[in-house]
Amino acid sequence: AGLPKYRVKKYYQTPVPGIALGLGWSENGGVPLYVESVVDLYQPSAGLRATGSLGDVMKESIEIGYTYVKRYLELNVDPKNKFFEKNAIHIHAPEGATPKDGPSAGITMITSLLSLATGKPIQPNLAMTGEITLTGKVIPVGGITEKLIAAKREGVKKVVLPKDNRKELEDIPEFVKEGLQIYLANYYSEVADVAFNETPTLQPVEIKTRKSID
Amino acid sequence: AGLPKYRVKKYYQTPVPGIALGLGWSENGGVPLYVESVVDLYQPSAGLRATGSLGDVMKESIEIGYTYVKRYLELNVDPKNKFFEKNAIHIHAPEGATPKDGPSAGITMITSLLSLATGKPIQPNLAMTGEITLTGKVIPVGGITEKLIAAKREGVKKVVLPKDNRKELEDIPEFVKEGLQIYLANYYSEVADVAFNETPTLQPVEIKTRKSID
Amino acid sequence: AGLPKYRVKKYYQTPVPGIALGLGWSENGGVPLYVESVVDLYQPSAGLRATGSLGDVMKESIEIGYTYVKRYLELNVDPKNKFFEKNAIHIHAPEGATPKDGPSAGITMITSLLSLATGKPIQPNLAMTGEITLTGKVIPVGGITEKLIAAKREGVKKVVLPKDNRKELEDIPEFVKEGLQIYLANYYSEVADVAFNETPTLQPVEIKTRKSID
């Protein structure tokens, strides 16, 4: 509403636990999609509330992420961490007037929640996109080219994508991929590896663009 | 949205309790339809939550399956297993942006829930389709040809179908059935037999395709 | 509805804790947008109710503000203040028949709630506009020119705007900005600084209007 379309956002200059950067996709191209999680104080019980003009698919995506992250924290990170048992959470996607939908922020939601629960901020200049299933498989999403362009415009240096989107990367022009470290994740644990470690175990891929027949 | 239509999914390389493979049917042909069940932690009471852009008929199908599986576990599997009494469940059909509907995932839902409750993974390379009634009768469904094609594309070797779909199998070309072991189930116990045993009691059927009159 | 369009409101002659002045924006231009918060007596538990013909985006904006202000009060103002733990709140945007929507009253809502919780009235002749994120970042809004015109009509002397709207100020004619002290806030703490201190730490900005090329 009256704002330039491609305003660089860079909302968060200092890394704060609970803030994650996803990548959305609209008719106008890719867009940075920030996600914030905070503790929702004085609630009678644990639970999750979500805001940000979210469509039904994104709301379900948050439910899935919430169910997943509770188990992931207990089984894979720290069984003694009772954060989700003890706290109600409020998760929000800023720019409240902009409708947002789709499942591709699944891994972003989980990473935001995990960051909040552990108190560890997410690596800076990192963006991610990928649908999550209830058992932690990262499945492919659309709009990869547009999302990479949006990521670069926002100053992103590292991107996590679903491994099953590898094929699309062969069709994306080199100049789009240039300057981006691209990580392909098959399971959520690989996303967490990149999100929370400056030098992750997972290595970035180098995927050459297919030459057109000449 | 921007993804190739017939991407082979094979989301799950290792068998995990709670993951079942159904077969869906749309205007574009058959599709693999994965179902995942997990424990929904820190809920105040037992119950079931479902996500995955499910239509009303599929939501009811899950309710029916949930009612059925609780009794089935207690009466037919293990009266001491208090899993459903003690846990809240979240069941999800991945690819959150794809609307899903219909009753034909009934036996898949039950098998997913039963697998979670017993901790036994479902046999690999097995797919199933069939509507369930509240008393465990498996009743016929549509799109058998398309579903078998989708199953083969996904690498499936064994398929469970409703016994009352036997007639349709006579009209399906041999090359579609080739390489598939087809089990016909009349009651849910027969589905469980095939789902949880490498060498089930139920035997696969060999149904010749009817020759056209010459 | 039967009222002159640009009636000066000045509803509140004496500063009362809980009353804040925002700036709205409609097709007819900018409008003063008052917000009132009071304690909602005899409720069974803490919580918040909102009225005033509010659209979905504004309702979510209030939820966000409520989550934020509870933590802000505890962490940044007074950890011993248990106001939000002990009280249910009713927040209202007067002129109940006029539909209101959008996220730009975010910082106004928070300031109203904070004023109520601390018992400190907001500085007189101060208006504000800005969307808030869940972690307290103030993000840009539309209609800045129209809102400044409405502010001056209402007798406002000081305005708080999002820092990321600085660019828009370069395009607003000098006569609109004349007589207004404009504060640019990046985080909510800067809004509070201006709202509750007669001589705030934050300094007003002087932004020259860009000359058109001659």
PDB file of all heavy atoms in Angstrom, chain C residues 105-123:
ATOM      1  N   ALA C 105      -1.499   0.870  13.085  1.00  0.00           N
ATOM      2  CA  ALA C 105      -1.711   1.333  14.458  1.00  0.00           C
ATOM      3  C   ALA C 105      -0.947   0.480  15.473  1.00  0.00           C
ATOM      4  O   ALA C 105      -1.128   0.654  16.679  1.00  0.00           O
ATOM      5  CB  ALA C 105      -3.193   1.337  14.787  1.00  0.00           C
ATOM      6  N   GLY C 106      -0.095  -0.402  14.997  1.00  0.00           N
ATOM      7  CA  GLY C 106       0.626  -1.299  15.903  1.00  0.00           C
ATOM      8  C   GLY C 106       1.304  -0.594  17.060  1.00  0.00           C
ATOM      9  O   GLY C 106       1.095  -0.933  18.228  1.00  0.00           O
ATOM     10  N   ILE C 107       2.101   0.439  16.766  1.00  0.00           N
ATOM     11  CA  ILE C 107       2.826   1.108  17.861  1.00  0.00           C
ATOM     12  C   ILE C 107       1.871   1.916  18.740  1.00  0.00           C
ATOM     13  O   ILE C 107       2.131   2.114  19.930  1.00  0.00           O
ATOM     14  CB  ILE C 107       3.978   1.998  17.344  1.00  0.00           C
ATOM     15  CG1 ILE C 107       3.482   3.113  16.422  1.00  0.00           C
ATOM     16  CG2 ILE C 107       5.031   1.143  16.610  1.00  0.00           C
ATOM     17  CD1 ILE C 107       4.583   4.108  16.023  1.00  0.00           C
ATOM     18  N   THR C 108       0.744   2.360  18.168  1.00  0.00           N
ATOM     19  CA  THR C 108      -0.244   3.092  18.960  1.00  0.00           C
ATOM     20  C   THR C 108      -0.903   2.177  19.984  1.00  0.00           C
ATOM     21  O   THR C 108      -1.110   2.558  21.149  1.00  0.00           O
ATOM     22  CB  THR C 108      -1.327   3.681  18.023  1.00  0.00           C
ATOM     23  OG1 THR C 108      -0.714   4.228  16.862  1.00  0.00           O
ATOM     24  CG2 THR C 108      -2.139   4.739  18.730  1.00  0.00           C
ATOM     25  N   MET C 109      -1.250   0.954  19.546  1.00  0.00           N
ATOM     26  CA  MET C 109      -1.873  -0.022  20.441  1.00  0.00           C
ATOM     27  C   MET C 109      -0.953  -0.319  21.622  1.00  0.00           C
ATOM     28  O   MET C 109      -1.368  -0.344  22.785  1.00  0.00           O
ATOM     29  CB  MET C 109      -2.136  -1.337  19.690  1.00  0.00           C
ATOM     30  CG  MET C 109      -3.035  -1.200  18.477  1.00  0.00           C
ATOM     31  SD  MET C 109      -4.708  -0.728  18.952  1.00  0.00           S
ATOM     32  CE  MET C 109      -5.545  -0.784  17.355  1.00  0.00           C
ATOM     33  N   ILE C 110       0.311  -0.578  21.316  1.00  0.00           N
ATOM     34  CA  ILE C 110       1.279  -0.912  22.364  1.00  0.00           C
ATOM     35  C   ILE C 110       1.427   0.246  23.347  1.00  0.00           C
ATOM     36  O   ILE C 110       1.458   0.056  24.559  1.00  0.00           O
ATOM     37  CB  ILE C 110       2.641  -1.250  21.735  1.00  0.00           C
ATOM     38  CG1 ILE C 110       2.519  -2.549  20.949  1.00  0.00           C
ATOM     39  CG2 ILE C 110       3.722  -1.346  22.796  1.00  0.00           C
ATOM     40  CD1 ILE C 110       3.774  -2.922  20.202  1.00  0.00           C
ATOM     41  N   THR C 111       1.484   1.458  22.795  1.00  0.00           N
ATOM     42  CA  THR C 111       1.680   2.624  23.658  1.00  0.00           C
ATOM     43  C   THR C 111       0.465   2.844  24.561  1.00  0.00           C
ATOM     44  O   THR C 111       0.598   3.178  25.737  1.00  0.00           O
ATOM     45  CB  THR C 111       1.976   3.854  22.788  1.00  0.00           C
ATOM     46  OG1 THR C 111       3.054   3.546  21.900  1.00  0.00           O
ATOM     47  CG2 THR C 111       2.376   5.044  23.641  1.00  0.00           C
ATOM     48  N   SER C 112      -0.714   2.606  24.015  1.00  0.00           N
ATOM     49  CA  SER C 112      -1.934   2.695  24.823  1.00  0.00           C
ATOM     50  C   SER C 112      -1.893   1.681  25.970  1.00  0.00           C
ATOM     51  O   SER C 112      -2.182   2.011  27.129  1.00  0.00           O
ATOM     52  CB  SER C 112      -3.146   2.442  23.916  1.00  0.00           C
ATOM     53  OG  SER C 112      -4.295   2.170  24.680  1.00  0.00           O
ATOM     54  N   LEU C 113      -1.534   0.451  25.661  1.00  0.00           N
ATOM     55  CA  LEU C 113      -1.480  -0.604  26.683  1.00  0.00           C
ATOM     56  C   LEU C 113      -0.397  -0.325  27.729  1.00  0.00           C
ATOM     57  O   LEU C 113      -0.596  -0.525  28.931  1.00  0.00           O
ATOM     58  CB  LEU C 113      -1.211  -1.965  26.007  1.00  0.00           C
ATOM     59  CG  LEU C 113      -2.353  -2.516  25.140  1.00  0.00           C
ATOM     60  CD1 LEU C 113      -1.873  -3.699  24.295  1.00  0.00           C
ATOM     61  CD2 LEU C 113      -3.539  -2.934  26.002  1.00  0.00           C
ATOM     62  N   LEU C 114       0.736   0.149  27.252  1.00  0.00           N
ATOM     63  CA  LEU C 114       1.840   0.426  28.166  1.00  0.00           C
ATOM     64  C   LEU C 114       1.479   1.583  29.100  1.00  0.00           C
ATOM     65  O   LEU C 114       1.802   1.566  30.296  1.00  0.00           O
ATOM     66  CB  LEU C 114       3.089   0.767  27.353  1.00  0.00           C
ATOM     67  CG  LEU C 114       4.417   0.798  28.073  1.00  0.00           C
ATOM     68  CD1 LEU C 114       4.706  -0.532  28.764  1.00  0.00           C
ATOM     69  CD2 LEU C 114       5.542   1.118  27.081  1.00  0.00           C
ATOM     70  N   SER C 115       0.797   2.557  28.561  1.00  0.00           N
ATOM     71  CA  SER C 115       0.359   3.700  29.358  1.00  0.00           C
ATOM     72  C   SER C 115      -0.608   3.247  30.449  1.00  0.00           C
ATOM     73  O   SER C 115      -0.506   3.654  31.612  1.00  0.00           O
ATOM     74  CB  SER C 115      -0.308   4.717  28.423  1.00  0.00           C
ATOM     75  OG  SER C 115      -1.009   5.686  29.143  1.00  0.00           O
ATOM     76  N   LEU C 116      -1.522   2.356  30.071  1.00  0.00           N
ATOM     77  CA  LEU C 116      -2.470   1.835  31.061  1.00  0.00           C
ATOM     78  C   LEU C 116      -1.747   1.041  32.148  1.00  0.00           C
ATOM     79  O   LEU C 116      -2.022   1.208  33.348  1.00  0.00           O
ATOM     80  CB  LEU C 116      -3.499   0.939  30.365  1.00  0.00           C
ATOM     81  CG  LEU C 116      -4.568   0.342  31.276  1.00  0.00           C
ATOM     82  CD1 LEU C 116      -5.513   1.431  31.776  1.00  0.00           C
ATOM     83  CD2 LEU C 116      -5.352  -0.757  30.566  1.00  0.00           C
ATOM     84  N   ALA C 117      -0.814   0.204  31.733  1.00  0.00           N
ATOM     85  CA  ALA C 117      -0.122  -0.679  32.682  1.00  0.00           C
ATOM     86  C   ALA C 117       0.744   0.104  33.655  1.00  0.00           C
ATOM     87  O   ALA C 117       0.896  -0.272  34.821  1.00  0.00           O
ATOM     88  CB  ALA C 117       0.717  -1.702  31.930  1.00  0.00           C
ATOM     89  N   THR C 118       1.329   1.200  33.205  1.00  0.00           N
ATOM     90  CA  THR C 118       2.230   1.970  34.066  1.00  0.00           C
ATOM     91  C   THR C 118       1.514   3.134  34.752  1.00  0.00           C
ATOM     92  O   THR C 118       2.067   3.740  35.670  1.00  0.00           O
ATOM     93  CB  THR C 118       3.393   2.567  33.235  1.00  0.00           C
ATOM     94  OG1 THR C 118       2.826   3.397  32.204  1.00  0.00           O
ATOM     95  CG2 THR C 118       4.238   1.472  32.606  1.00  0.00           C
ATOM     96  N   GLY C 119       0.311   3.449  34.281  1.00  0.00           N
ATOM     97  CA  GLY C 119      -0.403   4.591  34.857  1.00  0.00           C
ATOM     98  C   GLY C 119       0.132   5.930  34.397  1.00  0.00           C
ATOM     99  O   GLY C 119      -0.239   6.977  34.932  1.00  0.00           O
ATOM    100  N   LYS C 120       1.035   5.903  33.397  1.00  0.00           N
ATOM    101  CA  LYS C 120       1.617   7.157  32.910  1.00  0.00           C
ATOM    102  C   LYS C 120       0.899   7.612  31.637  1.00  0.00           C
ATOM    103  O   LYS C 120       0.893   6.874  30.645  1.00  0.00           O
ATOM    104  CB  LYS C 120       3.105   6.959  32.575  1.00  0.00           C
ATOM    105  CG  LYS C 120       3.994   6.886  33.796  1.00  0.00           C
ATOM    106  CD  LYS C 120       5.448   6.631  33.406  1.00  0.00           C
ATOM    107  CE  LYS C 120       6.121   7.860  32.789  1.00  0.00           C
ATOM    108  NZ  LYS C 120       7.587   7.646  32.644  1.00  0.00           N
ATOM    109  N   PRO C 121       0.331   8.818  31.621  1.00  0.00           N
ATOM    110  CA  PRO C 121      -0.303   9.274  30.384  1.00  0.00           C
ATOM    111  C   PRO C 121       0.734   9.537  29.306  1.00  0.00           C
ATOM    112  O   PRO C 121       1.910   9.780  29.589  1.00  0.00           O
ATOM    113  CB  PRO C 121      -1.016  10.566  30.772  1.00  0.00           C
ATOM    114  CG  PRO C 121      -0.542  10.932  32.121  1.00  0.00           C
ATOM    115  CD  PRO C 121       0.230   9.794  32.714  1.00  0.00           C
ATOM    116  N   ILE C 122       0.291   9.471  28.067  1.00  0.00           N
ATOM    117  CA  ILE C 122       1.159   9.748  26.928  1.00  0.00           C
ATOM    118  C   ILE C 122       1.309  11.261  26.778  1.00  0.00           C
ATOM    119  O   ILE C 122       0.396  12.027  27.111  1.00  0.00           O
ATOM    120  CB  ILE C 122       0.545   9.096  25.669  1.00  0.00           C
ATOM    121  CG1 ILE C 122       0.606   7.569  25.821  1.00  0.00           C
ATOM    122  CG2 ILE C 122       1.244   9.535  24.391  1.00  0.00           C
ATOM    123  CD1 ILE C 122      -0.377   6.821  24.951  1.00  0.00           C
ATOM    124  N   GLN C 123       2.467  11.706  26.309  1.00  0.00           N
ATOM    125  CA  GLN C 123       2.703  13.132  26.081  1.00  0.00           C
ATOM    126  C   GLN C 123       1.566  13.748  25.255  1.00  0.00           C
ATOM    127  O   GLN C 123       1.102  13.133  24.295  1.00  0.00           O
ATOM    128  CB  GLN C 123       4.020  13.333  25.334  1.00  0.00           C
ATOM    129  CG  GLN C 123       5.245  13.058  26.180  1.00  0.00           C
ATOM    130  CD  GLN C 123       5.382  14.052  27.322  1.00  0.00           C
ATOM    131  OE1 GLN C 123       5.310  15.267  27.126  1.00  0.00           O
ATOM    132  NE2 GLN C 123       5.520  13.541  28.535  1.00  0.00           N
TER     133      GLN C 123
END
